Amino acid sequence: LFEVMDLAVASPATVSRLGVMYMSPDDLGWRAPTLSWLNSDALPPTTPQAAKDRILENFDLFTNKALKFVRRNCSEPVKSLNNDL
């Protein structure tokens, strides 16, 4: 059993033998989990597509600006990744 933190330092040979593809959260970005969330069962099934589109527009409009603000102007007691915020 390999944990994600183990794969971050695993050799390419180990990863290929396991048939696993590792992507770091920094490479993935915040948009992929957001799209996954919007297309999941997390929202009520009656949520109109227009509402989902508006939510994504707001994420696109504000998230990068908010992340830049946090990284420049805030201090964290425990360092986090952008996907964790």
Side-chain angles (χ1 to χ4, degrees), residues 3-81:
E3 295 290 334
V4 172
M5 68 182 139
D6 297 332
L7 288 176
V9 295
S11 72
T14 301
V15 173
S16 67
R17 282 187 202 112
L18 293 171
V20 173
M21 187 175 116
Y22 174 76
M23 293 182 66
S24 72
D26 287 337
D27 294 335
L28 189 60
W30 62 264
R31 203 164 197 277
T34 303
L35 290 171
S36 177
W37 169 72
L38 283 172
N39 293 317
S40 73
D41 294 334
L43 296 175
T46 56
T47 304
Q49 186 60 43
K52 292 179 181 181
D53 293 342
R54 182 66 178 155
I55 290 169
L56 185 58
E57 287 173 17
N58 284 331
F59 268 95
D60 286 337
L61 184 62
F62 296 112
T63 301
N64 284 331
K65 293 175 186 176
L67 290 172
K68 284 180 186 175
F69 177 85
V70 168
R71 296 295 176 218
R72 288 183 186 158
N73 301 303
C74 302
S75 62
E76 299 175 291
V78 177
K79 185 161 174 61
S80 67
L81 300 173

